[in-house]
Amino acid sequence: MNDLSRRNLLAGVAAIGAASVLPLASEDAHATASAATDQAPGFYRYKVGSIECTSINDGARTFPLPDNWVTNVSKDQAIAAAEAAYMPKGMVTVPFNPQLINTGSKLILLDCGNGISALNATKGQAGRLLQNLAAAGIDPKSIDAVVVSHLHPDHTNGIRAADNSMAFPNAEIMVPAKDWDFWMSEENAAKAQSNPMMKNYFANVKKIYTGIEKNVTKYDWDKEVVPGLTSIGTPGHTPGHTSFALASGNSKILIAVDVTNIPEFFLRNPDWHVAYDADPELAQKTRHKFYDMAAAEKATVVGFHFPFPAVGHVEKDGNGYRLIPVAFNPVL
């Protein structure tokens, strides 16, 4: 009978370590392999009926947990949640995952990430959408439409290339009408001047969309934005924040976008308020409504800030929810 005691396991590890320092007969004949400095390309394909989808990772930022990142609980509680999720001490990690939808007749990019300029600003942590699209075999010129869920920088800045030209030159740009009206309002912008984050958000929308306003199509909630993709009003994060249902045949998924930020915090604790929410109380109500629906339907759920590949299921868990990631499947 095998004895898997801690002492025997440690002894085995020590023996392996000692053996590893012994010279190999052919050691001089082979160069040592260089250590990798980058991760493998981040794309993952899955099917919804006859529609092929690809989760395209735009990176994941790890940064010191700000004092008021969760605005309605103590920082100690937030740190405890991060540590429970095995994040680096005192840090938080936020992934970014746009979705590519191939309907057979149209190639749709749902959100477009932080933009290529973020590569330098974040030391390569974010702004990786274009290189991961290339790794997935997608030419930006082949994108027919970029559907933007809301106008925060990590969802919309990617429509501009490094030289400020259009990153997807043949794509129709589609944005939620309610969000467009809010962020394009000079009156709203004036009211936001005392809030540095909101002030920057308004300025960013102007920077990204100035000069292309006439080329932007506004869509409403509860409408089929493109064939198979229906918009769902999920306000709170922003006034016009939009989620989606993607359906084909008997298959359907829910694309939550930013109904919740990272699940380790805001899915487990849906009553916590993230600093980015424009209307925290409304965002809280929206979270419960959306994820109660998802859990009841046993729906497949995609979250922009879920860990890559950002696809899973959500179950009720006490007063909150838990994410069950999909199992990796090497074939479609």
Side-chain angles (χ1 to χ4, degrees):
M1 182 176 181
N2 292 331
D3 182 0
L4 295 180
S5 70
R6 183 173 182 271
R7 178 177 295 178
N8 285 344
L9 285 173
L10 291 176
V13 171
I16 292 170
S20 68
V21 302
L22 296 175
L24 299 175
S26 59
E27 186 174 15
D28 294 336
H30 300 281
T32 302
S34 299
T37 59
D38 206 2
Q39 191 53 267
F43 64 93
Y44 180 79
R45 296 187 176 97
Y46 58 98
K47 295 292 288 290
V48 180
S50 63
I51 296 175
E52 181 187 88
C53 301
T54 309
S55 190
I56 305 286
N57 184 247
D58 188 51
R61 285 192 60 217
T62 298
F63 51 92
L65 183 65
D67 289 344
N68 294 312
W69 201 64
V70 185
T71 62
N72 63 335
V73 302
S74 69
K75 186 175 181 180
D76 287 343
Q77 287 177 272
I79 288 174
E83 290 181 352
Y86 294 94
M87 293 183 185
K89 190 172 181 61
M91 311 287 277
V92 64
T93 299
V94 178
F96 311 97
N97 297 291
Q99 301 298 304
L100 185 71
I101 300 168
N102 186 351
T103 68
S105 60
K106 295 286 185 180
L107 198 56
I108 312 300
L109 184 62
L110 203 167
D111 287 330
C112 51
N114 292 271
I116 196 71
S117 62
L119 277 173
N120 289 331
T122 65
K123 297 182 179 179
Q125 291 188 79
R128 306 174 74 89
L129 175 73
L130 289 179
Q131 67 191 64
N132 282 326
L133 278 172
I138 303 299
D139 184 344
K141 295 178 181 177
S142 68
I143 303 292
D144 294 297
V146 175
V147 177
V148 178
S149 63
H150 63 294
L151 299 184
H152 276 173
D154 54 330
H155 296 259
T156 196
N157 282 15
I159 66 171
R160 296 283 189 174
D163 62 359
N164 208 41
S165 64
M166 302 308 294
F168 308 99
N170 299 317
E172 179 182 11
I173 307 298
M174 308 181 74
V175 305
K178 287 182 182 292
D179 230 42
W180 181 268
D181 291 345
F182 176 79
W183 294 108
M184 284 296 179
S185 164
E186 295 294 343
E187 181 181 354
N188 290 339
K191 292 177 182 177
Q193 295 307 297
S194 60
N195 182 323
M197 184 175 67
M198 290 293 285
K199 178 181 176 180
N200 288 337
Y201 283 164
F202 276 100
N204 185 76
V205 170
K206 287 288 188 182
K207 180 183 74 173
I208 294 298
Y209 287 97
T210 294
I212 62 169
E213 297 93 338
K214 292 181 179 179
N215 300 325
V216 173
T217 300
K218 274 77 77 176
Y219 64 83
D220 295 319
W221 290 339
D222 302 318
K223 304 288 185 183
E224 196 172 52
V225 181
V226 297
L229 186 70
T230 300
S231 58
I232 302 171
T234 48
H237 182 56
T238 68
H241 179 269
T242 305
S243 301
F244 301 89
L246 178 66
S248 173
N250 294 323
S251 298
K252 185 180 84 169
I253 65 169
L254 297 174
I255 304 175
V257 193
D258 281 14
V259 169
T260 183
N261 201 278
I262 56 172
E264 299 87 348
F265 278 45
F266 305 102
L267 198 61
R268 301 289 300 176
N269 306 284
D271 298 326
W272 286 11
H273 298 168
V274 70
Y276 312 129
D277 285 343
D279 186 336
E281 296 291 340
L282 179 57
Q284 177 182 338
K285 292 177 182 177
T286 293
R287 267 191 293 281
H288 282 284
K289 181 179 179 181
F290 185 91
Y291 288 117
D292 282 349
M293 173 182 67
E297 293 183 3
K298 298 186 181 298
T300 297
V301 180
V302 179
F304 189 83
H305 296 297
F306 287 4
F308 181 78
V311 185
H313 296 85
V314 171
E315 285 192 348
K316 290 278 289 181
D317 185 23
N319 294 325
Y321 309 87
R322 68 186 184 106
L323 175 66
I324 304 172
V326 293
F328 176 83
N329 192 344
V331 297
L332 290 178

